[in-house]
Amino acid sequence: MSTVTRDLELLGSRVRFWEYGTPGNGPTIVVVHGYRGDHHGLEPVVRLLPDFHILSPDLPGFGDSTPMTDATHSIAGYGVWLRAFTDELGLSDDAVLLGHSFGSIVVAHAVADGLAARAVILINPIADDPAKVAGIGATRFYYAVARRLPERAARAWLANPLVVQGMSVKLAKTRDRALRRFIHGQHHAYFSKFGSRASIVEGFDASLSTTVAAVAERIAQPVLLVAGERDEVAPLAGQFELLEAFPDARLDVIPGVGHLIHYETPDAAAHAIRAFMTDLTA
């Protein structure tokens, strides 16, 4: 599967994105990763879809993309950015938008606000109020401290390897030791690649500000929801309620996995996406 790395200047951000496959090699899918991650997170799934044309950017302020200067790092700001990204690349309304976790909120709100798309795919979508997630109080405190520290100290605080490891251990559900080591390695390598303290704190506020459910009824396009049976961040009960909120949606529940579908069960995620895309083009 061919891969090309490209850069764009959008809303004051130098956006780096990865292009897998070539235009015309199946439908184009634009992939939006989750909070504190970058394009690497969804790459295990992307690599299993060689017959599609996939564009996978690092969101502004994450990974190799610099923060935006002409928009805030809010859900609305990222929605404006996503529209600018698709416009700049000349994507038609035939493109499919895919979002994981935080990216599911960005994609859903952008489409609800009028961003053209043929269909929407949401992996581990945020259906319930994130402020009600267990342990959110400690997480709020963690980011509150970061707001008050000088930039250099804040970056060290936010990148604390003990915090990263704790998060990774909590999210991983697999009992496969080799896979757990891989997941922890991925989080240590990429969870702390961010542009600035300001952008990462703004992004955290954005992650708590709304949900996919808030705009589901406004999305007329076909929607695929891919949920983890043991997801604590986006609990399964909320996924069934979210399914009913969309005019046209289907839900694929992957057993035994939590919020890390993209790492623990990429094969199952790719299978669900392929089946959905096959039905979409039939």
Side-chain angles (χ1 to χ4, degrees), residues 102-115:
F102 175 74
S104 73
I105 307 175
V106 173
V107 167
H109 280 254
V111 173
D113 289 339
L115 179 59

Side-chain angles (χ1 to χ4, degrees), residues 6-31:
R6 298 169 60 186
D7 288 340
L8 287 175
E9 295 290 331
L10 297 172
L11 301 174
S13 169
R14 187 202 68 245
V15 176
R16 180 154 294 172
F17 69 99
W18 284 256
E19 183 173 19
Y20 302 84
T22 55
N25 181 32
T28 294
I29 303 176
V30 178
V31 173

Side-chain angles (χ1 to χ4, degrees), residues 117-195:
R118 182 173 187 178
V120 174
I121 300 170
L122 305 177
I123 300 176
N124 295 117
I126 304 301
D128 302 306
D129 183 355
K132 297 179 180 178
V133 172
I136 192 62
T139 306
R140 285 184 184 276
F141 174 76
Y142 174 68
Y143 285 97
V145 171
R147 294 176 201 274
R148 291 170 171 76
L149 291 173
E151 179 72 23
R152 185 174 179 180
R155 293 185 70 90
W157 172 258
L158 290 167
N160 186 306
L162 292 178
V163 174
V164 174
Q165 181 70 12
M167 174 279 303
S168 190
V169 169
K170 180 176 176 57
L171 292 180
K173 302 303 179 189
T174 179
R175 294 183 179 180
D176 184 313
R177 291 184 179 181
L179 180 54
R180 290 182 72 88
R181 285 195 298 271
F182 170 74
I183 291 169
H184 300 334
Q186 291 286 292
H187 284 142
H188 282 289
Y190 305 118
F191 191 73
S192 299
K193 289 187 67 177
F194 54 87

Side-chain angles (χ1 to χ4, degrees), residues 43-225:
E43 196 166 53
V45 179
V46 169
R47 290 290 184 186
L48 295 172
L49 299 168
D51 47 337
F52 293 92
H53 175 230
I54 298 176
L55 303 173
S56 184
D58 284 352
L59 285 169
F62 297 89
D64 290 339
S65 293
T66 62
M68 293 181 284
T69 59
D70 299 337
T72 60
H73 300 87
S74 62
I75 298 303
Y78 277 118
V80 172
W81 168 84
L82 185 56
R83 183 186 293 272
F85 181 79
T86 58
D87 285 349
E88 183 69 20
L89 293 176
L91 300 182
S92 68
D93 57 8
D94 199 44
V96 174
L97 299 179
L98 182 156
H100 170 252
S101 190
F102 175 74
S104 73
I105 307 175
V106 173
V107 167
H109 280 254
V111 173
D113 289 339
L115 179 59
R118 182 173 187 178
V120 174
I121 300 170
L122 305 177
I123 300 176
N124 295 117
I126 304 301
D128 302 306
D129 183 355
K132 297 179 180 178
V133 172
I136 192 62
T139 306
R140 285 184 184 276
F141 174 76
Y142 174 68
Y143 285 97
V145 171
R147 294 176 201 274
R148 291 170 171 76
L149 291 173
E151 179 72 23
R152 185 174 179 180
R155 293 185 70 90
W157 172 258
L158 290 167
N160 186 306
L162 292 178
V163 174
V164 174
Q165 181 70 12
M167 174 279 303
S168 190
V169 169
K170 180 176 176 57
L171 292 180
K173 302 303 179 189
T174 179
R175 294 183 179 180
D176 184 313
R177 291 184 179 181
L179 180 54
R180 290 182 72 88
R181 285 195 298 271
F182 170 74
I183 291 169
H184 300 334
Q186 291 286 292
H187 284 142
H188 282 289
Y190 305 118
F191 191 73
S192 299
K193 289 187 67 177
F194 54 87
S196 69
R197 181 264 311 275
S199 63
I200 209 70
V201 170
E202 284 182 15
F204 173 69
D205 291 342
S207 74
L208 299 185
S209 67
T210 188
T211 65
V212 173
V215 295
E217 65 180 14
R218 292 164 46 197
I219 298 176
Q221 290 91 335
V223 176
L224 169 65
L225 306 174

